[in-house]
Structures are given as C-alpha cells and as structure tokens.
Amino acid sequence: MSVGEEEQIIKQYQPLIRALIPYEQDNRLLEGINKFSKRLPSSVRKIVKEEVVRLTSLTDASADNSAFAQFPVMKFKHFGIPMRLDKVGAEILKSETSLYQERYTVGVFESVMNSDFYQTQIKRDQFKKIVDAFKVESQSFTDIDFGNDIAVRPNFTVSSPDFEKGRHCTVSSLSFTGLAVETKRPPNVTTGDIITFTIPEVMGLTKEPTEITYELDTIKYNKHLGKYESFFTISSETDLGLLNQLKRYIKAVSYKQPLQRDLEIERAMQDLERDRILENSPWMPVFLAPNKKSLKPVISLFTKANVEHNNAELLLKSLQDKTIFDVLATELMRYNEAYIFYGKIKTKSGEIAITATHRQLLAMRQLNAIVYLLVKNNDFICTQCRLDDITKDDKQKAFAIHDIASKDFEHLGAISNVMYCRDVTVYLNNLTLSEKCEFKPLAKSLRASGERWHIDYVMEEALDRRSETRYVIDKSAQIKLGLLNSLDVRVSDLSASGMKLLVPVGTDLQPELRVSVPDLKIKNEKYRVVHYDKSSGTVRLCLQDDGKKSKTCANVDAMVEENTAYFKLRDVARIQRATHRFIWELAVRHMPSLSVLCVMNRHILDRLKTVYQSDASDDLYPFSRTQNIIPLHGFFADKAQSKPKSLMLDAMFKGAMDHSLVVHCVRKSDNRLVYIKERDFLYTKLRSQIQSQLEEEKIQISATDVTAIRCHGAITPLTKKRLAQLSKLDKAMYDKLETMQAGCTHCIFVTNMSALHHDLVMAKLIAKPTQTNSEKEGAA
C-alpha cells in the first residue's frame, strides 16, 4: 500500500483513531479495535493500530506555534520541555495532554503544531461564545408548584394566653406544618416553648374557635414588614383530621388570598410576564366545547395585538363552517396542529367559496392546484391552528382567582379546549407553480356548506367602545311592517338608546323600524338599523334623534333604577368583564408558541430576558434545551460570524422587520444542520434541490417563523389585579414591580411551521420574486 493511500486511510478513520487512544493508554488496544472495527479489512486495521501506537509514543520535542499563533506568545515549560505557545495553543496542549492521560506524546505535539487543528479549535471556541451569548433562562406557562412549601397570609388573627399576654396577632404565614405571627416588639418567649393558639371560626377551616398547639422555632426581624416574626412548627400530636382540613383550606384559598410574601412575589412576577405575552401575542385564542364526538367553537378572546396582526372577522369566518370544523377538530385532536384554507376561486360557473385543511388537500393531491387558484384570485386566508386541553383544575383556578360563581357561568364551565389561531397567509400569497400540475374537478367536500357555528368574542374594555350600559334580557317584541302587518321578534339586550333584536333568518327589513316591547312600556318607537346580519337574524338598533329619544332614555333609566338588583346581574359589561377575565386566565396557561420576553438594555443580547415555553412545545427544533437553559443562536445569531451578533434582532427592535423565516435542513446521514437563507429557500432553484432531497428522504426540513411585536403600553388589562394581593404585603415591592412593567419592550414568538412548508415544497410551489427580492438577488 502506497504512502498516499495510508495517509488517506488515517484521515478517513481519524475519529476511530482518537477513540482508541484511551484503550492504548490502558494496554487494551486490541479490545478497542475489536469493539469498534470488527468489519474493517485487516490492512486498514493494521494501519489504524500502528497510527494509534505512534501517537501514544512519548516525545521530548519542543512545541512552537509562533508561525500561526495569535499575539501574545508565551514561553513556559511543560513536563520540563520548553514551549512557545499562544493562549489557544496552551488550551490545546492542556486538552490533548488530558486525552493522552497526562502524558506528552507524539499525538499531543502534532495537535499543537497542526494549524488546521488550531483553526478548528478557534472556530469551536468562537461557536461556544456565540451559543453562550444567545442562551436564555426558561420558564413554563404552567403555574409555579410550591408543593408542601406553600404558605398563605390568611385574613384572620390568632391569640394565646401564653403569647403576648393573649393579644390577637396577625398571621404572616400559614403552611401545612407551620405558622408565623407578627409582633411590633420581640415576644417574651424562648425557642422550644409550646404555645397553644386559638384560631377563630374560619369558613372552610373551622366551624368554631379551635385550639392548635405549636412549638417555637425562631424569632426574626423582617425588615420588609418592619416587624418581628415568630416561627412555629405544628405539634406532632395534632389530630390528623385537623391537619388534613388545614391542607385543604390552604389549597382552597391559595388563589383568593395572598401567599407568604416571597411566594407572592414569585407568583406575581410569573402572572405579569404571562399576561404580557398573551397581551402582545399574534395568536387568537378560540375556546371550544364538546359537541357529540367532536368539538364546537364557543368564544374567542380579542387583544390589541391579535386584532392588529390578524383580520379577526375573516379569521373567525374561516373556522365557522360546521363541516370543515369537524374535520379540523379531528386533525387537531390527533396532531395538535393544523392549517386551514378559506377563500374563493374562480371557475367557469363563477366564484366558489372553498374551505379545507392542508391535509385534506394533500390526501386529494390537490394542494398545489388549490393554493395556485386561491393565490390567483387573491381572496383567501390560511390559518395556523394549535390545540390544547383545558383541565377541570384550570377552570377551578380561573373561577377562584376572579371570584366568579361557576353556577352563574355554566357555559364557561363547559369549555374543554383552547384552539390558538393566527393568519399565516403571508407565506402563501406569493406562491406559484414551478411546473404544470393536474387540475381535478372541485370536490364537494372542499366547498363551504353554508351551515356555520356562531363564535362569540370578548375584548378588553379599552377595545369596547360602547358608551352606554347594556343589559341582557329576553322579552317578546313586535316590528311594524305595514299598516296591519307586524312581525314577532325577541329583544336580547337593551340600553337607554338602543337594543338588539333576534328576527327570523332571511327577513327583509327597512332601514328604519317601528318597535313595540309591551313588557318594557315601549310602544311604536322609531329605531334606526345600525347593523343587520341576515344569516343569523341579529339586528342592532339605535333610537332616532327626533325629540322622543330623551323620553325613552329616561323611561329605561327609571326602570333600571327601580329594579337595580335584577339589572345588575344582567349588566352586559359586568358579564363580559367576568367572561374576559375567566378566559384570559385559561389562555395564559396554554400559550402555543415559544415566547421571548424582551426588556430595555443598551446591549441587544441582554434584552432577551426570559423564554416561556410549554412542556409539549417543539418550536425549538432542531435545537434542544438543557434543563432550564434555552439556546436561541440557531434562530437569532448571524451566521459565519466570529462574534455574537444579530442583524435580525437589531432590525426587529428598530421596527424595520416584524417577522422572518429561519430554515435549516437536517441531514439524516449524520444529523448535520445546514442553514438555508430565507430568500434562497423561497425564491431560488435551491428550492427544487431541497424538494428532490426530501423525496429521497436524505434530509428533513425545519422552517421556523420568528415574529416580533412591540409591547402595547406598560400595563395589561390584568396588571392591577396581579399586584392587588402584593400591595397588602409589601408596598415597596408593589411599587418596584409596577415600575418594572414599563421596561418590557417586545415579545418575540418562535413558531415551528415545518409541516406546512415541507408540504408546499413537495407540492412544487415556489415564491414569485417581488421587485425587492429581485433587487437583492441582483445585488448579491
């Protein structure tokens, strides 16, 4: 075998050679060769063995990497042998000597003197710096579990004749096994004293004053409270039934009363951050209830951000068709994610409304044809949907936190799932066919059935611009259609100068109506039609301003004043506020995307404060987290740079960019990641090469959408609610957290969209270069 062939074999089997070095050091080289290289030809095994023996041979050659070293070069001795190495060379010497079991061998010398090995080490160090720079601590959307350490600050006092002369003392902390009481001065007791406290009658804990025995552990001065705290441990002889009742009480009131100070601060911070993410998320939550063996949409939550980043009316329309929603629900229950197309296509017989999931179109082999026709007509929406379960525990927490009686809101108690939706049409509205495809006759299953679910919605008060209080009622009424004709209808809500009627579907109405409501003493009043949905039969009316308006308004106001208790329970604003807070509380625990909370800072990378991610999320793919550390370099870091930089983050924080698609190809043979520029992936011939590689199953594609949204103001609709409990414990910390809210600037959402983009590539759809992209290609 020639020298060149031997060098090629040594180069090819370098990983094997390095793996065998520890075996040679332990005199087990033959065992190692048999373990790792059973199938290698004997000639190759011989060369590998000789190379391992050569590399592990001791040497006294002096190493000097001055020829390619970085300034400064240091002179020192290693095992008595003179060395001239820079900082990187010294690190290589240290790591290689460790590999050879603290011996200076030929292998160590060659590694130090090899410029290629040196450059590889530099690149590895640089990459580590970049990875470390983009690491961010993670939190979960799930509530913090304090376990047995949970302690509340109850709203009752305790007393004992053996403590503070029987004075009633405030309880600063009540846990499963302990008690802490506050006093202005150090109490006259010593560690180990047995004190029997009397707990008053407390709903959910005791039905009459009850004595519980505790042992004093310690006394400390609490500088935050400005008082002394005495910490007690419950007696081991306490009745087991009373202990269990105490545990049940603490768990029951933990969401209605403040926790012990430090725990309440932790809870408030998590609540404030989760609220911030929901308030500024592009995802629109739609809550679902069971419907036979499927699900049905019930109500959605509007926020400033999701209304701004989606066409809310069109998005809800895309979900309302009953037939397609059953298909969508089935897909979501199986895959937890689905994409739905809703729009119109032109045919010879005219425009046809279609609605279908992308998996439906795949099964029919019509994804490319339908997407092409939708884009051509330019009247469609593609909605990404993700599903999560709402547990009974989630609903109980929401009712408890906002002090809502579940019996008054049974329809909310029926919610079983939340479906998050967002408009992703931006990735499809510029697609075209890269080659001819077959246009099949339009299947009936793709056509909108016309039967639609009604999806209600609630929004924060700032978005609701109604100036008058409305009340939910159900009264019969008549609309005068002619001289002798009238139509029986129902009044569903009422305000001083307007009302909402439910009329038979498809009824033709005039712009002005005469309405009579006998039970409300409204007779033949003239109203103007403000809004009429013919498909649902919903009519919104406003009084004509012709002099009678003030009289009618006064009559309604007088009726409300006479029946305050009745109308208070039917106040639409109150009902909507309770509903809004309830479904908000459900939504913050089930956010669908990996979310990055950003704060003000001079340095861009220090602006990434916290990552929130659900336990089931795969948005980090093809990367993975280590314990509670999330690596974000793969999405944000500039590629082929020696220092940690991010043009993407810089542009997003300046408002020059609001979203970007980050694409990686995962090579299956060695799991190597290959980064693909967004422009190359969408617009160039590389797309067809990726498609052929996918067909041969050589690669797997990862396409991730990164969307940045500037925070809407310093507070969210629930900021005051989150800080209310803390204000009772520590006013200074309350003020600090309230001030901190102005420091949040952006929320960045990282969302895996690989399923859709993979299928669009396989369908041979490619983006048409826009003028801007054409200019970029010319410049490149």
Side-chain angles (χ1 to χ4, degrees):
M1 189 176 289
S2 67
V3 176
E5 288 175 332
E6 286 187 10
E7 289 178 353
Q8 184 62 35
I9 289 171
I10 291 170
K11 185 177 180 181
Q12 181 181 352
Y13 291 98
Q14 195 61 226
L16 174 61
I17 290 168
R18 289 182 71 81
L20 289 172
I21 286 168
Y23 285 88
E24 167 61 12
Q25 304 282 0
D26 293 337
N27 294 317
R28 296 189 296 126
L29 180 57
L30 186 59
E31 177 188 333
I33 290 175
N34 289 334
K35 181 179 180 180
F36 293 117
S37 55
K38 288 180 181 178
R39 298 180 181 178
L40 290 181
S42 58
S43 57
V44 173
R45 284 162 59 97
K46 183 182 177 184
I47 292 169
V48 168
K49 179 182 176 182
E50 290 173 352
E51 179 64 10
V52 172
V53 172
R54 186 186 74 82
L55 292 175
T56 53
S57 302
L58 293 174
T59 183
D60 58 359
S62 177
D64 183 350
N65 73 343
S66 304
F68 50 82
Q70 295 177 349
F71 183 83
V73 174
M74 302 171 288
K75 291 183 180 180
F76 61 93
K77 288 190 176 182
H78 183 66
F79 295 137
I81 302 166
M83 302 284 163
R84 282 175 55 86
L85 303 172
D86 66 346
K87 187 177 179 181
V88 177
E91 283 294 322
I92 294 173
L93 178 67
K94 181 180 177 182
S95 61
E96 288 295 291
T97 302
S98 175
L99 174 66
Y100 287 87
Q101 296 187 351
E102 303 304 325
R103 299 169 70 200
Y104 184 59
T105 67
V106 173
V108 177
F109 172 76
E110 290 184 356
S111 295
V112 173
M113 297 298 290
N114 188 323
S115 62
D116 290 338
F117 195 91
Y118 180 90
Q119 292 299 326
T120 301
Q121 182 68 25
I122 287 178
K123 287 179 181 177
R124 188 180 294 119
D125 291 344
Q126 288 174 342
F127 181 70
K128 187 176 184 300
K129 286 180 183 177
I130 291 171
V131 172
D132 290 342
F134 284 90
K135 283 180 177 177
V136 186
E137 285 193 9
S138 72
Q139 298 282 352
S140 172
F141 287 113
T142 308
D143 289 334
I144 299 171
D145 183 7
F146 296 109
N148 290 332
D149 294 329
I150 192 168
V152 297
R153 183 186 176 92
N155 53 10
F156 60 78
T157 58
V158 295
S159 62
S160 171
D162 302 324
F163 187 82
E164 288 292 274
K165 298 179 181 180
R167 294 190 187 96
H168 286 268
C169 300
T170 302
V171 180
S172 62
S173 174
L174 177 67
S175 68
F176 294 165
T177 57
L179 176 79
V181 295
E182 297 175 4
T183 53
K184 291 182 179 179
R185 299 178 182 83
N188 187 22
V189 287
T190 56
T191 302
D193 284 358
I194 304 299
I195 308 290
T196 300
F197 285 105
T198 300
I199 293 179
E201 180 184 342
V202 178
M203 184 179 292
L205 178 58
T206 56
K207 294 182 179 179
E208 57 185 19
T210 305
E211 293 184 344
I212 303 181
T213 303
Y214 288 89
E215 180 181 341
L216 180 63
D217 276 346
T218 182
I219 300 172
K220 294 180 181 178
Y221 179 72
N222 190 322
K223 62 180 181 180
H224 301 291
L225 299 172
K227 295 179 181 179
Y228 288 89
E229 280 189 297
S230 302
F231 295 89
F232 295 87
T233 303
I234 200 164
S235 170
S236 57
E237 298 177 2
T238 305
D239 179 61
L240 185 61
L242 184 58
L243 281 174
N244 290 333
Q245 187 62 30
L246 188 64
K247 288 183 179 181
R248 283 194 294 271
Y249 171 76
I250 292 172
K251 287 180 179 178
V253 302
S254 61
Y255 288 98
K256 296 180 180 180
Q257 295 180 6
L259 299 180
Q260 180 267 334
R261 178 186 172 275
D262 293 340
L263 304 186
E264 185 60 37
I265 291 171
E266 280 189 61
R267 181 166 73 174
M269 289 184 69
Q270 185 194 37
D271 285 342
L272 290 167
E273 289 183 344
R274 291 189 306 192
D275 288 345
R276 176 79 54 186
I277 289 167
L278 175 59
E279 167 75 356
N280 299 288
S281 169
W283 292 90
M284 182 177 292
V286 179
F287 295 86
L288 315 178
N291 178 52
K292 298 177 182 177
K293 293 183 179 180
S294 186
L295 299 167
K296 66 177 181 180
V298 177
I299 192 169
S300 60
L301 173 65
F302 285 4
T303 65
K304 291 173 184 174
N306 68 33
V307 168
E308 183 181 309
H309 287 79
N310 299 287
N311 183 335
E313 185 180 352
L314 187 59
L315 189 148
L316 290 184
K317 260 187 185 178
S318 71
L319 306 171
Q320 286 180 311
D321 191 88
K322 288 188 176 182
T323 304
I324 192 59
F325 196 85
D326 284 344
V327 176
L328 177 65
T330 302
E331 282 190 21
L332 286 171
M333 286 188 284
R334 182 173 180 183
Y335 301 104
N336 292 330
E337 183 181 71
Y339 295 86
I340 186 167
F341 295 93
Y342 173 81
K344 294 177 181 177
I345 61 174
K346 288 182 179 177
T347 65
K348 292 179 182 178
S349 57
E351 279 193 341
I352 296 177
I354 73 147
T355 177
T357 69
H358 99 283
R359 288 191 178 91
Q360 264 187 310
L361 298 177
L362 278 177
M364 297 177 181
R365 297 185 180 179
Q366 283 289 282
L367 180 63
N368 49 5
I370 296 298
V371 169
Y372 172 76
L373 292 172
L374 287 170
V375 172
K376 189 177 180 181
N377 201 32
N378 197 27
D379 184 12
F380 80 105
I381 181 174
C382 178
T383 306
Q384 182 181 11
C385 304
R386 288 186 169 182
L387 186 74
D388 204 357
D389 295 333
I390 299 291
T391 64
K392 185 179 179 181
D393 189 40
D394 290 333
K395 289 181 280 190
Q396 287 176 343
K397 285 178 188 176
F399 281 129
I401 290 170
H402 299 292
D403 197 21
I404 300 171
S406 57
K407 63 181 180 181
D408 294 337
F409 293 86
E410 292 182 359
H411 62 293
L412 296 180
I415 289 172
S416 62
N417 299 83
V418 57
M419 178 178 68
Y420 280 90
C421 311
R422 68 178 188 131
D423 182 358
V424 293
T425 316
V426 65
Y427 289 117
L428 291 99
N429 57 15
N430 197 33
L431 293 179
T432 189
L433 297 169
S434 60
E435 59 181 59
K436 290 183 179 180
C437 74
E438 182 183 2
F439 291 90
K440 297 179 180 178
L442 194 64
K444 287 184 179 180
S445 58
L446 301 183
R447 301 189 185 203
S449 67
E451 295 183 19
R452 303 198 302 173
W453 290 113
H454 171 71
I455 305 177
D456 205 351
Y457 63 86
V458 289
M459 61 183 81
E460 58 193 81
E461 292 176 27
L463 294 179
D464 193 343
R465 293 178 292 276
R466 293 185 177 91
S467 57
E468 292 183 336
T469 305
R470 294 180 302 136
Y471 303 98
V472 176
I473 60 173
D474 184 17
K475 301 290 183 182
S476 59
Q478 290 85 37
I479 297 174
K480 193 170 183 180
L481 299 179
L483 188 61
L484 299 173
N485 292 334
S486 62
L487 179 68
D488 291 333
V489 296
R490 305 293 297 182
V491 182
S492 62
D493 78 38
L494 175 76
S495 66
S497 57
M499 63 174 65
K500 183 170 82 171
L501 300 181
L502 298 178
V503 304
V505 174
T507 303
D508 292 323
L509 297 177
Q510 297 296 322
E512 293 180 359
L513 301 173
R514 292 277 183 178
V515 181
S516 298
V517 188
D519 292 349
L520 303 179
K521 298 180 181 178
I522 295 174
K523 185 176 182 181
N524 219 24
E525 288 290 356
K526 186 188 288 186
Y527 283 85
R528 175 170 52 88
V529 176
V530 178
H531 173 77
Y532 177 35
D533 185 349
K534 205 169 183 178
S535 60
S536 64
T538 303
V539 189
R540 296 190 181 277
L541 304 176
C542 178
L543 273 172
Q544 288 283 42
D545 191 6
D546 58 359
K548 292 185 179 180
K549 182 174 181 178
S550 58
K551 182 181 178 182
T552 306
C553 291
N555 288 341
V556 173
D557 289 339
M559 180 174 59
V560 171
E561 284 183 21
E562 290 172 7
N563 302 277
T564 306
Y566 175 86
F567 280 100
K568 185 180 179 181
L569 294 175
R570 287 156 180 79
D571 182 349
V572 172
R574 175 187 166 275
I575 295 169
Q576 285 195 340
R577 191 181 306 115
T579 303
H580 176 268
R581 289 188 169 188
F582 177 85
I583 66 174
W584 180 289
E585 206 64 50
L586 298 182
V588 295
R589 289 167 171 76
H590 298 276
M591 290 300 293
S593 285
L594 184 147
S595 312
V596 187
L597 199 61
C598 305
V599 294
M600 287 188 288
N601 202 293
R602 287 178 59 195
H603 303 288
I604 284 182
L605 299 188
D606 291 334
R607 296 187 66 170
L608 306 177
K609 179 181 180 288
T610 313
V611 172
Y612 273 82
Q613 182 187 28
S614 68
D615 298 332
S617 170
D618 68 344
D619 290 321
L620 203 56
Y621 181 81
F623 306 94
S624 57
R625 71 177 178 184
T626 306
Q627 294 178 338
N628 68 327
I629 301 298
I630 301 285
L632 295 174
H633 64 282
F635 305 112
F636 297 154
D638 290 347
K639 307 301 181 287
Q641 292 291 325
S642 58
K643 294 181 180 179
K645 293 181 180 178
S646 178
L647 289 174
M648 179 197 291
L649 287 178
D650 189 40
M652 285 180 169
F653 290 143
K654 288 179 179 177
M657 175 195 293
D658 57 7
H659 74 272
S660 179
L661 189 69
V662 180
V663 184
H664 294 90
C665 283
V666 185
R667 200 161 64 190
K668 290 187 177 181
S669 59
D670 56 2
N671 280 334
R672 184 185 172 188
L673 283 181
V674 180
Y675 169 71
I676 310 291
K677 291 181 180 178
E678 179 181 0
R679 178 177 59 82
D680 293 340
F681 175 72
L682 294 175
Y683 301 101
T684 68
K685 292 180 180 178
L686 182 62
R687 191 173 175 92
S688 60
Q689 295 174 18
I690 292 172
Q691 184 250 327
S692 62
Q693 293 279 304
L694 287 171
E695 282 184 345
E696 295 172 12
E697 296 185 353
K698 290 184 177 179
I699 62 170
Q700 192 169 334
I701 198 166
S702 168
T704 305
D705 171 74
V706 178
T707 299
I709 295 179
R710 182 178 289 277
C711 290
H712 291 74
I715 61 170
T716 69
L718 267 71
T719 299
K720 290 182 180 178
K721 170 71 177 178
R722 303 307 189 192
L723 292 171
Q725 303 283 31
L726 186 60
S727 66
K728 302 173 186 176
L729 307 181
D730 190 334
K731 187 63 169 63
M733 182 55 70
Y734 166 86
D735 293 335
K736 185 177 179 181
L737 285 184
E738 189 177 40
T739 305
M740 281 174 57
Q741 299 312 299
C744 296
T745 62
H746 293 76
C747 290
I748 300 177
F749 300 89
V750 179
T751 309
N752 190 328
M753 293 183 65
S754 303
L756 178 65
H757 283 287
H758 171 278
D759 294 331
L760 293 175
V761 171
M762 295 299 285
K764 298 180 181 178
L765 290 160
I766 189 169
K768 294 177 286 187
T770 59
Q771 187 177 1
T772 308
N773 284 301
S774 300
E775 289 171 2
K776 285 181 182 177
E777 286 185 39

